[in-house]
Amino acid sequence: MGKTVYSLILSSEVVAAVDELAARQGYSRSALVNHILAEYAGAASPQRQASQILEALRQQAGNQGLRPQAASAGSLTLRTAMNYKYNPALSYTVALQDDAETLGRLRVSLRSQNSELLDYFNHFFQLWGVLESRYLESPPPETAADRQAKRYVRPLRRPPGTAGGEQLGAAIAAYIERLDLCLRTFMDNCENAAEAVSKTERIYLSHPQDGLGGFF
C-alpha cells in the first residue's frame, strides 16, 4: 500500500491517548492513526489486511492439524510435533510487515538438541531451496537453515495485484501445508537419502497449491 506524508494538527490530549493505545496494541503512532481513520472511513488499512490474513491462516491451519497459538500484533505461530524420537516441537511463525514489496516472513523452528535430527532438518531445507528454485515461477532470494538457531527463515514477497487478506491467508496456509508434508516425508525416509529426496519431490509436485503461493 502506498504512503504519503501529511501534517495533522491534533490536541495534546488526543496525541497522548493515541500513544498510550498504540503502545498497548504494538503499533506506531502513525500506524494506529492510519488504522483508526481507515476504520472510520471504511477504507482498507494494513492492520485490517493483516488481521484478515492471520484469521484466514488460523482457520486453514486448524483444518490441517496445526495448533494456532496466541498471536501478537501482526504475527501468528502454528505448532505441531515431529514424528521423531521424543516428538520434538515444531513451529511455523508468520510475521507480517507493512512493506510495499515484502508481505512478511515465515520462520520454521525446531525445538531439539539432537544433533542428528538437526542435520536432517538442515538437509531438508537445502533440498527445499533446490525445489523452489527449480519449480517456482519467481524463486525467493536464497535462504538457508540456521543449524545453530535450529530455524529456517523465508521472506514472503507481496504478490502483484490486489489480493484480499482472506486470499493471502489461504495462500500462506497452503504453502505451509505443502512445506509441512514435504518435511514429514523427508524425515520418514531420512535414513535413505536418495529415497528421501525422490519421495519429497513427488509430494512437492503432487500437492495442490494456490497460485499466489507460487509467488511467495
mmCIF file of all heavy atoms in Angstrom, residues 36-59:
data_model
loop_
_atom_site.group_PDB
_atom_site.id
_atom_site.type_symbol
_atom_site.label_atom_id
_atom_site.label_comp_id
_atom_site.label_asym_id
_atom_site.label_seq_id
_atom_site.Cartn_x
_atom_site.Cartn_y
_atom_site.Cartn_z
ATOM 1 N N ILE A 36 -7.179 3.815 12.526
ATOM 2 C CA ILE A 36 -8.417 4.403 13.052
ATOM 3 C C ILE A 36 -9.176 5.143 11.953
ATOM 4 O O ILE A 36 -10.392 4.993 11.800
ATOM 5 C CB ILE A 36 -8.097 5.349 14.224
ATOM 6 C CG1 ILE A 36 -7.582 4.544 15.425
ATOM 7 C CG2 ILE A 36 -9.333 6.147 14.627
ATOM 8 C CD1 ILE A 36 -7.064 5.400 16.561
ATOM 9 N N LEU A 37 -8.456 5.929 11.161
ATOM 10 C CA LEU A 37 -9.101 6.687 10.093
ATOM 11 C C LEU A 37 -9.656 5.750 9.016
ATOM 12 O O LEU A 37 -10.736 5.999 8.457
ATOM 13 C CB LEU A 37 -8.110 7.674 9.476
ATOM 14 C CG LEU A 37 -7.665 8.833 10.385
ATOM 15 C CD1 LEU A 37 -6.615 9.685 9.681
ATOM 16 C CD2 LEU A 37 -8.859 9.686 10.798
ATOM 17 N N ALA A 38 -8.917 4.681 8.718
ATOM 18 C CA ALA A 38 -9.387 3.719 7.717
ATOM 19 C C ALA A 38 -10.667 3.040 8.185
ATOM 20 O O ALA A 38 -11.615 2.856 7.418
ATOM 21 C CB ALA A 38 -8.305 2.681 7.430
ATOM 22 N N GLU A 39 -10.715 2.671 9.479
ATOM 23 C CA GLU A 39 -11.921 2.042 10.024
ATOM 24 C C GLU A 39 -13.107 3.014 9.961
ATOM 25 O O GLU A 39 -14.214 2.630 9.583
ATOM 26 C CB GLU A 39 -11.665 1.618 11.479
ATOM 27 C CG GLU A 39 -10.726 0.429 11.625
ATOM 28 C CD GLU A 39 -11.374 -0.860 11.167
ATOM 29 O OE1 GLU A 39 -12.543 -1.108 11.517
ATOM 30 O OE2 GLU A 39 -10.726 -1.616 10.421
ATOM 31 N N TYR A 40 -12.863 4.248 10.321
ATOM 32 C CA TYR A 40 -13.935 5.245 10.349
ATOM 33 C C TYR A 40 -14.463 5.523 8.934
ATOM 34 O O TYR A 40 -15.667 5.673 8.723
ATOM 35 C CB TYR A 40 -13.419 6.538 10.980
ATOM 36 C CG TYR A 40 -14.496 7.583 11.188
ATOM 37 C CD1 TYR A 40 -15.332 7.543 12.292
ATOM 38 C CD2 TYR A 40 -14.683 8.604 10.254
ATOM 39 C CE1 TYR A 40 -16.331 8.485 12.471
ATOM 40 C CE2 TYR A 40 -15.685 9.556 10.420
ATOM 41 C CZ TYR A 40 -16.508 9.491 11.540
ATOM 42 O OH TYR A 40 -17.489 10.427 11.708
ATOM 43 N N ALA A 41 -13.549 5.574 7.965
ATOM 44 C CA ALA A 41 -13.933 5.910 6.590
ATOM 45 C C ALA A 41 -14.315 4.679 5.769
ATOM 46 O O ALA A 41 -14.712 4.804 4.612
ATOM 47 C CB ALA A 41 -12.783 6.653 5.901
ATOM 48 N N GLY A 42 -14.155 3.497 6.357
ATOM 49 C CA GLY A 42 -14.482 2.282 5.622
ATOM 50 C C GLY A 42 -13.459 1.937 4.563
ATOM 51 O O GLY A 42 -13.779 1.269 3.579
ATOM 52 N N ALA A 43 -12.228 2.409 4.737
ATOM 53 C CA ALA A 43 -11.162 2.128 3.764
ATOM 54 C C ALA A 43 -10.282 0.989 4.269
ATOM 55 O O ALA A 43 -10.282 0.642 5.448
ATOM 56 C CB ALA A 43 -10.316 3.384 3.552
ATOM 57 N N ALA A 44 -9.510 0.414 3.350
ATOM 58 C CA ALA A 44 -8.586 -0.654 3.720
ATOM 59 C C ALA A 44 -7.403 -0.066 4.471
ATOM 60 O O ALA A 44 -7.007 1.069 4.244
ATOM 61 C CB ALA A 44 -8.100 -1.380 2.475
ATOM 62 N N SER A 45 -6.829 -0.849 5.374
ATOM 63 C CA SER A 45 -5.631 -0.438 6.100
ATOM 64 C C SER A 45 -4.726 -1.649 6.253
ATOM 65 O O SER A 45 -5.198 -2.796 6.224
ATOM 66 C CB SER A 45 -5.984 0.119 7.482
ATOM 67 O OG SER A 45 -6.423 -0.912 8.336
ATOM 68 N N PRO A 46 -3.415 -1.438 6.428
ATOM 69 C CA PRO A 46 -2.518 -2.584 6.621
ATOM 70 C C PRO A 46 -2.921 -3.431 7.821
ATOM 71 O O PRO A 46 -2.813 -4.655 7.782
ATOM 72 C CB PRO A 46 -1.150 -1.917 6.849
ATOM 73 C CG PRO A 46 -1.255 -0.594 6.162
ATOM 74 C CD PRO A 46 -2.678 -0.158 6.360
ATOM 75 N N GLN A 47 -3.392 -2.798 8.893
ATOM 76 C CA GLN A 47 -3.780 -3.546 10.086
ATOM 77 C C GLN A 47 -4.991 -4.437 9.805
ATOM 78 O O GLN A 47 -5.050 -5.584 10.244
ATOM 79 C CB GLN A 47 -4.081 -2.587 11.242
ATOM 80 C CG GLN A 47 -2.864 -1.905 11.823
ATOM 81 C CD GLN A 47 -2.360 -0.777 10.938
ATOM 82 O OE1 GLN A 47 -3.110 -0.251 10.105
ATOM 83 N NE2 GLN A 47 -1.104 -0.407 11.096
ATOM 84 N N ARG A 48 -5.976 -3.892 9.059
ATOM 85 C CA ARG A 48 -7.150 -4.699 8.734
ATOM 86 C C ARG A 48 -6.757 -5.871 7.848
ATOM 87 O O ARG A 48 -7.215 -6.999 8.061
ATOM 88 C CB ARG A 48 -8.204 -3.838 8.030
ATOM 89 C CG ARG A 48 -9.394 -4.663 7.520
ATOM 90 C CD ARG A 48 -10.409 -3.795 6.788
ATOM 91 N NE ARG A 48 -11.179 -2.983 7.716
ATOM 92 C CZ ARG A 48 -12.165 -2.180 7.339
ATOM 93 N NH1 ARG A 48 -12.468 -2.075 6.053
ATOM 94 N NH2 ARG A 48 -12.841 -1.481 8.232
ATOM 95 N N GLN A 49 -5.921 -5.620 6.844
ATOM 96 C CA GLN A 49 -5.497 -6.712 5.970
ATOM 97 C C GLN A 49 -4.715 -7.764 6.761
ATOM 98 O O GLN A 49 -4.909 -8.963 6.571
ATOM 99 C CB GLN A 49 -4.630 -6.200 4.819
ATOM 100 C CG GLN A 49 -4.278 -7.306 3.827
ATOM 101 C CD GLN A 49 -3.371 -6.844 2.713
ATOM 102 O OE1 GLN A 49 -2.230 -6.475 2.946
ATOM 103 N NE2 GLN A 49 -3.884 -6.871 1.492
ATOM 104 N N ALA A 50 -3.840 -7.319 7.677
ATOM 105 C CA ALA A 50 -3.077 -8.260 8.485
ATOM 106 C C ALA A 50 -4.003 -9.125 9.326
ATOM 107 O O ALA A 50 -3.808 -10.347 9.439
ATOM 108 C CB ALA A 50 -2.087 -7.509 9.377
ATOM 109 N N SER A 51 -5.034 -8.521 9.909
ATOM 110 C CA SER A 51 -5.995 -9.281 10.712
ATOM 111 C C SER A 51 -6.716 -10.311 9.860
ATOM 112 O O SER A 51 -6.930 -11.460 10.282
ATOM 113 C CB SER A 51 -7.007 -8.339 11.360
ATOM 114 O OG SER A 51 -6.375 -7.467 12.277
ATOM 115 N N GLN A 52 -7.088 -9.923 8.640
ATOM 116 C CA GLN A 52 -7.772 -10.850 7.744
ATOM 117 C C GLN A 52 -6.854 -12.004 7.343
ATOM 118 O O GLN A 52 -7.278 -13.167 7.287
ATOM 119 C CB GLN A 52 -8.259 -10.108 6.500
ATOM 120 C CG GLN A 52 -9.370 -9.111 6.774
ATOM 121 C CD GLN A 52 -9.703 -8.270 5.556
ATOM 122 O OE1 GLN A 52 -8.898 -8.150 4.627
ATOM 123 N NE2 GLN A 52 -10.887 -7.672 5.540
ATOM 124 N N ILE A 53 -5.602 -11.690 7.055
ATOM 125 C CA ILE A 53 -4.633 -12.729 6.675
ATOM 126 C C ILE A 53 -4.462 -13.736 7.799
ATOM 127 O O ILE A 53 -4.526 -14.957 7.590
ATOM 128 C CB ILE A 53 -3.273 -12.099 6.313
ATOM 129 C CG1 ILE A 53 -3.376 -11.315 5.001
ATOM 130 C CG2 ILE A 53 -2.192 -13.178 6.195
ATOM 131 C CD1 ILE A 53 -2.131 -10.506 4.679
ATOM 132 N N LEU A 54 -4.235 -13.237 9.021
ATOM 133 C CA LEU A 54 -3.966 -14.127 10.146
ATOM 134 C C LEU A 54 -5.202 -14.935 10.531
ATOM 135 O O LEU A 54 -5.079 -16.102 10.930
ATOM 136 C CB LEU A 54 -3.455 -13.328 11.339
ATOM 137 C CG LEU A 54 -2.107 -12.626 11.129
ATOM 138 C CD1 LEU A 54 -1.692 -11.876 12.382
ATOM 139 C CD2 LEU A 54 -1.016 -13.623 10.722
ATOM 140 N N GLU A 55 -6.384 -14.353 10.409
ATOM 141 C CA GLU A 55 -7.598 -15.095 10.733
ATOM 142 C C GLU A 55 -7.822 -16.211 9.714
ATOM 143 O O GLU A 55 -8.185 -17.341 10.089
ATOM 144 C CB GLU A 55 -8.803 -14.160 10.767
ATOM 145 C CG GLU A 55 -10.108 -14.849 11.143
ATOM 146 C CD GLU A 55 -10.049 -15.572 12.473
ATOM 147 O OE1 GLU A 55 -9.313 -15.102 13.375
ATOM 148 O OE2 GLU A 55 -10.731 -16.609 12.615
ATOM 149 N N ALA A 56 -7.618 -15.927 8.425
ATOM 150 C CA ALA A 56 -7.745 -16.968 7.400
ATOM 151 C C ALA A 56 -6.702 -18.056 7.616
ATOM 152 O O ALA A 56 -6.992 -19.253 7.477
ATOM 153 C CB ALA A 56 -7.590 -16.357 6.006
ATOM 154 N N LEU A 57 -5.486 -17.655 7.971
ATOM 155 C CA LEU A 57 -4.412 -18.613 8.241
ATOM 156 C C LEU A 57 -4.761 -19.476 9.446
ATOM 157 O O LEU A 57 -4.555 -20.696 9.440
ATOM 158 C CB LEU A 57 -3.104 -17.857 8.480
ATOM 159 C CG LEU A 57 -1.879 -18.694 8.858
ATOM 160 C CD1 LEU A 57 -1.568 -19.719 7.773
ATOM 161 C CD2 LEU A 57 -0.670 -17.781 9.081
ATOM 162 N N ARG A 58 -5.304 -18.855 10.484
ATOM 163 C CA ARG A 58 -5.684 -19.597 11.691
ATOM 164 C C ARG A 58 -6.737 -20.670 11.368
ATOM 165 O O ARG A 58 -6.636 -21.809 11.811
ATOM 166 C CB ARG A 58 -6.242 -18.630 12.733
ATOM 167 C CG ARG A 58 -6.643 -19.289 14.058
ATOM 168 C CD ARG A 58 -7.487 -18.336 14.887
ATOM 169 N NE ARG A 58 -6.770 -17.116 15.166
ATOM 170 C CZ ARG A 58 -5.923 -16.959 16.174
ATOM 171 N NH1 ARG A 58 -5.717 -17.973 17.004
ATOM 172 N NH2 ARG A 58 -5.306 -15.818 16.375
ATOM 173 N N GLN A 59 -7.727 -20.308 10.584
ATOM 174 C CA GLN A 59 -8.795 -21.248 10.251
ATOM 175 C C GLN A 59 -8.281 -22.392 9.389
ATOM 176 O O GLN A 59 -8.587 -23.565 9.639
ATOM 177 C CB GLN A 59 -9.929 -20.513 9.550
ATOM 178 C CG GLN A 59 -10.666 -19.524 10.448
ATOM 179 C CD GLN A 59 -11.770 -18.791 9.711
ATOM 180 O OE1 GLN A 59 -12.045 -19.058 8.544
ATOM 181 N NE2 GLN A 59 -12.410 -17.847 10.384
#
